[in-house]
Amino acid sequence: MLAGEFPASRSHFDAGLALYDPNSHRLLTRQTGSDPQVVSQGWLGLVLFCLGFPEQALARSRAAVEEARRLAHPPSLARSFSIGTRVLSLMGDDAAMDEWAGQLVAVATEQSYPHWLGEGTALRGWVSVKKGAVAEGVSLLRNGIAAYRATGAELYIPHYLAPLARACDIAGQFDEAMGSLDDALQIVERTGERWLPPSCIATKAGCSCDRSALRLPRNSIARR
């Protein structure tokens, strides 16, 4: 999925969910840290969105959150919110994203999950920017990304750098906007995470001649 191979990813997640038996596989949660069914549902939701099925994607994301709540397993709940908020952010459902990001922050704060706290903070920052609170939003985005990266995590960083770049552009901070895109592209080159970056590349190309032209498309993903 992270390499942008969405049809193959869908097949794998469908097969995994079909094979899943809660009676015999639930104990895998102790080994993996999160419930396999919850995680597979969440990932499948993101894959379905990338394949152009937003309604199915949202249904899977909601199913993941509901199952995690039923299990009352905080790591699974946090992961379901983490993956689900990405779907909502790409759909442009700001109200739902703000709600789930807030719940992600609450769970992460209560359970001391620094990487998920960083993600939730960054997402709430983007919502703040879209509501017009640009300075507050930029600050939340910066702090959230910094907290997430401080854990050593690099996965999904381009997804959070893209809205930071746009937010900085709105704020007139063009150097930081361009720097954020450069950072995202370097991560893509280093890690091979290619489900999001074509939008970053297109934006970077559009900004090379005129920095004031920096605008990210609404759905910043690669469709295959």
Side-chain angles (χ1 to χ4, degrees), residues 43-130:
W43 278 111
L44 181 56
L46 190 55
V47 168
L48 286 168
F49 182 85
C50 294
L51 286 170
F53 303 103
E55 292 182 1
Q56 294 181 44
L58 185 57
R60 289 289 186 174
S61 296
R62 287 173 173 167
V65 170
E66 289 170 4
E67 179 65 9
R69 283 176 169 156
R70 188 186 72 79
L71 294 172
H73 187 248
S76 297
L77 183 59
R79 190 173 294 277
S80 69
F81 282 136
S82 172
I83 302 172
T85 51
R86 292 179 205 124
V87 174
L88 294 172
S89 70
L90 295 170
M91 290 180 66
D93 190 339
D94 297 335
M97 182 178 71
D98 191 27
E99 178 184 351
W100 278 14
Q103 293 184 57
L104 175 58
V105 167
V107 173
T109 300
E110 180 181 344
Q111 300 294 327
S112 299
Y113 300 146
H115 59 299
W116 283 321
L117 178 58
E119 285 187 284
T121 300
L123 287 165
R124 299 203 80 179
W126 180 228
V127 172
S128 295
V129 170
K130 298 183 80 172

Side-chain angles (χ1 to χ4, degrees), residues 144-161:
I145 293 170
Y148 182 74
R149 299 183 91 165
T151 67
E154 197 164 48
L155 187 63
Y156 296 121
I157 287 293
H159 178 62
Y160 300 115
L161 288 173

